[in-house]
Amino acid sequence: MTSSPQAQISVEKIGGTSMSAFGDVLRHIMLYDNDRIYGRIYVVSAYSGVTNQLLEHKKTGERGIYALFAEGADYHQALGGLAASLKKLNAGFADLGLPLAIADAFVDERIAQAKKYLEAMHHVLASGYISRKDVLLAAREVLASIGESHSAFNAVEILKANDVKAILLDLAGFDDDYAWTIDERIQKSFLGLDLANNVIVATGYTKGVEGIMREFDRGYSEVTFSKIAVEVRPAEAVIHKEFHLSSADPNLVGLENAVIVGATNYDVADQLADVGMEAIHPKAAKPMELAGIPIRLKNTFEPEHPGTLITKDYVGQRARVEMVTGTDKVTLVEIHDPSMVGTVGFDYGLMEIFCKHEISYILKATNANSIAHLVWDSSVTTELVEELEARYQVVTVKKSAIVCAIGSNIGIPGVLARAAQAMAEAGVNVNCISQTLRQVNMQFVIERGDYKKAVIALNQALCVAPGTVVPKA
């Protein structure tokens, strides 16, 4: 590992939506600056929608090829459909120089390799000798890797067609049987590479004996990005997305009301991730934070804009709310029990139940006789509710939403009052509220149907309207 930052080397992550618009990626990123074509390592995601087809839809849960395999159904036809989809994507890049015969042959080869792996796993499952859970996790890994290998292969071929010296770093490891950890594979893959005089395109998926999806699931491409950055130590790492990191979701508040953040810190990035708005996966961000590597978030389609820089120690010179975000896919689970008051460790038993059901909560609010936890909708099962009802006097389960006012420097009088007033004027009632002493995140639990108007109201009052930036006392 290089001990000091390499100013001439950059590590850059390109998301799936951007990869699908690869002509823009070429123009706005890879070939944008003739003086900065080389010395860049791109970690690429699968094209938009491909991983959904392979595993399951990330938002709707619609089943993909993995579910067919897990259920013992015929997945071979689905793999054929996947091959057709990938070749259709290939055809869309022909005008960029992608050699279709070579690209389609790669798809056929990789699908055939995956099919052999899955058939072998099917026989192992039938034997009963090996844990079903472990085999299914392995199948999930094999399937997930196909998308990143496909997009990375195409990127290298298109770069070569544009007279750029490019090297494919396929970390999926389909052609080897080395029992390496993820870190070992990355380290060994970079040995001997001339980083300064080539473009390196690495797959967002990395094969390792521990399984990158076992711990990170769909966040694996950002974990690969993080591990590569820690390995080569660039002066900063860059994430290219189809939007700027802004004060609120432009789809909710309108592009004209989305204020570009510009600068923030890793703590704020963690707060965003906690409610599902990931600037970067928190488990990917932490190693980079510890290594002192700043992350720059840029808009793929505005290459001249510096974007937003995330650093460890940034604190805004002026107190302000930087972002308003949240989600309407959460449920409030409240326990009410008169025996709670004055009982030491009452909530310990509740946490034991949460741990048993593998639930991590977003927010906790408590008073003398009640404890409310906000959790993701997907965490609330019939089994959980029945166990809680058998133990506690009153259990309330309420579909909800959460809105958050977040910033690196919001510890000033009046912000909470202004937020509450803005929501009251918009007709939004607050059911729960939480803020810690660190004062980087004010959280409001509200009715699910009020989510959009709460975000609009808070963004307008705290981020857009004149006078909402308050000098630090």
Side-chain angles (χ1 to χ4, degrees):
M1 181 185 293
T2 304
S3 58
S4 58
Q6 300 190 71
Q8 76 276 21
I9 304 298
S10 67
V11 179
E12 307 181 36
K13 166 77 169 58
I14 303 178
T17 303
S18 293
M19 286 298 292
S20 295
F22 197 74
D24 291 303
V25 169
L26 273 183
R27 286 187 294 272
H28 300 323
I29 301 173
M30 294 179 170
L31 305 180
Y32 178 70
D33 184 349
N34 285 331
D35 296 326
R36 285 202 65 242
I37 290 177
Y38 295 108
R40 302 173 80 172
I41 302 165
Y42 297 106
V43 181
V44 301
S45 294
Y47 297 119
S48 181
V50 171
T51 307
N52 290 341
Q53 189 175 353
L54 286 160
L55 303 179
E56 64 278 319
H57 196 288
K58 192 173 183 180
K59 293 183 178 179
T60 67
E62 181 182 351
R63 302 185 318 155
I65 296 172
Y66 169 74
L68 296 176
F69 176 81
E71 294 168 4
D74 182 11
Y75 56 87
H76 293 81
Q77 185 176 349
L79 283 173
L82 172 69
S85 296
L86 298 186
K87 290 178 182 179
K88 185 177 180 180
L89 286 169
N90 290 351
F93 300 124
D95 60 343
L96 300 179
L98 180 66
L100 292 184
I102 293 174
D104 288 353
F106 177 82
V107 169
D108 288 335
E109 178 186 10
R110 189 50 55 92
I111 296 293
Q113 288 174 312
K115 191 178 294 184
K116 287 182 180 178
Y117 270 120
L118 293 174
E119 287 171 349
M121 291 178 191
H122 177 74
H123 290 305
V124 169
L125 275 175
S127 74
Y129 292 137
I130 297 178
S131 162
R132 174 178 172 81
K133 181 180 179 181
D134 288 342
V135 175
L136 290 181
L137 282 170
R140 194 169 174 82
E141 301 265 345
V142 168
L143 286 167
S145 71
I146 295 171
E148 276 76 21
S149 293
H150 173 234
S151 63
F153 181 89
N154 285 0
V156 167
E157 291 299 318
I158 293 171
L159 285 169
K160 288 178 178 178
N162 284 271
D163 298 319
V164 174
K165 293 184 293 181
I167 297 172
L168 172 64
L169 210 62
D170 192 344
L171 299 170
F174 261 79
D175 297 319
D176 70 60
D177 295 314
Y178 299 118
W180 289 334
T181 65
I182 295 166
D183 288 337
E184 287 172 340
R185 181 172 296 278
I186 289 173
Q187 185 181 42
K188 293 177 185 296
S189 296
F190 276 93
L191 290 176
L193 289 182
D194 182 0
L195 301 181
N197 298 299
N198 288 282
V199 171
I200 310 296
V201 181
T203 55
Y205 175 88
T206 305
K207 176 183 175 183
V209 293
E210 66 271 48
I212 199 167
M213 296 195 71
R214 281 176 170 83
E215 184 173 358
F216 308 111
D217 201 54
R218 295 288 285 270
Y220 60 82
S221 62
E222 291 186 350
V223 173
T224 294
F225 163 71
S226 170
K227 288 180 177 292
I228 289 175
V230 172
E231 176 65 30
V232 304
R233 295 297 179 98
E236 67 180 31
V238 183
I239 297 177
H240 299 277
K241 291 181 177 281
E242 68 276 15
F243 49 80
H244 283 293
L245 185 64
S246 302
S247 62
D249 183 350
N251 294 320
L252 293 179
V253 303
L255 190 61
E256 69 280 5
N257 294 315
V259 181
I260 298 172
V261 174
T264 191
N265 60 37
Y266 276 101
D267 193 358
V268 168
D270 287 344
Q271 304 301 320
L272 294 173
D274 198 39
V275 289
M277 182 187 169
E278 290 183 4
I280 180 172
H281 193 290
K283 291 184 178 179
K286 200 56 58 180
M288 299 175 75
E289 178 182 354
L290 295 174
I293 302 171
I295 300 173
R296 188 176 296 276
L297 300 176
K298 287 180 64 71
N299 185 323
T300 300
F301 309 106
E302 294 186 33
E304 72 287 347
H305 197 288
T308 296
L309 189 66
I310 300 175
T311 57
K312 182 177 181 179
D313 300 321
Y314 174 84
V315 176
Q317 290 185 342
R318 294 186 299 170
R320 69 186 178 108
V321 171
E322 294 165 8
M323 279 162 281
V324 173
T325 187
T327 177
D328 59 355
K329 296 177 175 58
V330 288
T331 298
L332 196 65
V333 179
E334 184 177 82
I335 306 301
H336 174 80
D337 199 310
S339 65
M340 174 180 161
V341 63
T343 301
V344 175
F346 182 89
D347 54 350
Y348 179 74
L350 180 55
M351 286 298 95
E352 284 185 318
I353 296 175
F354 273 34
C355 287
K356 175 183 174 181
H357 291 267
E358 298 183 341
I359 296 173
S360 175
Y361 63 85
I362 299 168
L363 171 151
K364 176 180 179 180
T366 184
N367 62 26
N369 292 321
S370 301
I371 304 178
H373 290 86
L374 193 74
V375 301
W376 291 101
D377 285 345
S378 58
S379 298
V380 183
T381 63
T382 301
E383 293 76 17
L384 169 70
V385 176
E386 287 178 350
E387 186 167 353
L388 292 174
E389 288 178 338
R391 185 163 179 174
Y392 301 106
Q393 188 174 96
V394 180
V395 177
T396 303
V397 178
K398 182 178 177 61
K399 298 289 186 182
S400 301
I402 181 174
V403 287
C404 309
I406 302 172
S408 60
N409 181 7
I410 63 173
I412 51 172
V415 175
L416 178 59
R418 196 176 311 160
Q421 181 181 357
M423 285 193 288
E425 290 174 353
V428 176
N429 185 54
V430 177
N431 294 330
C432 283
I433 186 171
S434 176
Q435 179 177 275
T436 69
L437 182 62
R438 189 171 176 84
Q439 297 190 64
V440 295
N441 187 359
M442 290 184 294
Q443 301 174 299
F444 305 93
V445 180
I446 59 175
E447 298 293 326
R448 179 165 289 187
D450 289 339
Y451 176 66
K452 182 176 180 179
K453 64 180 178 181
V455 171
I456 293 171
L458 287 177
N459 181 66
Q460 186 66 32
L462 303 179
C463 302
V464 178
T468 58
V469 177
V470 183
K472 188 175 182 180

